[in-house]
Amino acid sequence: MKTNLLQLIGLVPLIFNAQVGVNTTTPQKTLHVNGSLQVVNEINVGGNASTEGNAGTVGQVLTSSGAGAAPLWQTLSTVSGTIASANYVQGTTALTIAAGTSADVPGATITLTVPTGKTQTFLFTILGYATLLDGNSSQGVFSLLQNGVKISSAFASKAGYFPVTTPGGTFLSNMPIPVTFLKSVALTAGTYTFKVRYTSWFGSSTVNYVPSGYSGYNGDNEAMLTKMQVLVYNN
């Protein structure tokens, strides 16, 4: 009995420090499997000698935390480098802005939240038209505002007349020149409101115009609406 007990005591340190290899005689980790692995039930990560690890929830993916740290279950939309959300708004009612004044474009406003502990990059694409059937030329600026502060802008204009060399002096009039501009901002946790504003430099202009007065109009009432798309990326 004494001999057996001494042998068992001698084996205990070997058990605690052993590395187990499957299909390998030189295991590199505590368990080294040289081949395929089939898991019939859940995979638990983290935890310790006396605490069960985390099996994650439906739809989550397993992501690395680097060497020496347990991997993490994460919702795909929160993983770094992925798109957290794709957002779109467009203008609603028409609004005329007089020369020398500014106004928010109706409908072109969105509020987005960066979750606690996260940083995200917002990529904006904005399309704007400014016109008015008054036969005059005009010019102005579409601006992007973050919590009331301008962070980007782009010039827009309207030409009063475009002569066309056809019999009878036919011409095109009130031709808005659309503007598309991009902006990227990296933001920490918090809630942010973004809106598009138009400032008229010269001549009055209407945003969110429904071009029913244009020749050939066939019901395209979204053709001149201000539009804003926001892609949110996890950093």
Side-chain angles (χ1 to χ4, degrees), residues 182-193:
L182 307 176
K183 179 65 178 179
S184 176
V185 292
L187 299 170
T188 56
T191 298
Y192 304 88
T193 297

Side-chain angles (χ1 to χ4, degrees), residues 209-233:
Y209 192 86
V210 177
S212 57
Y214 283 80
S215 298
Y217 172 72
N218 61 350
D220 293 326
N221 54 12
E222 292 190 11
M224 293 186 183
L225 298 183
T226 301
K227 300 171 184 179
M228 175 166 57
Q229 176 177 275
V230 190
L231 298 179
V232 180
Y233 293 86

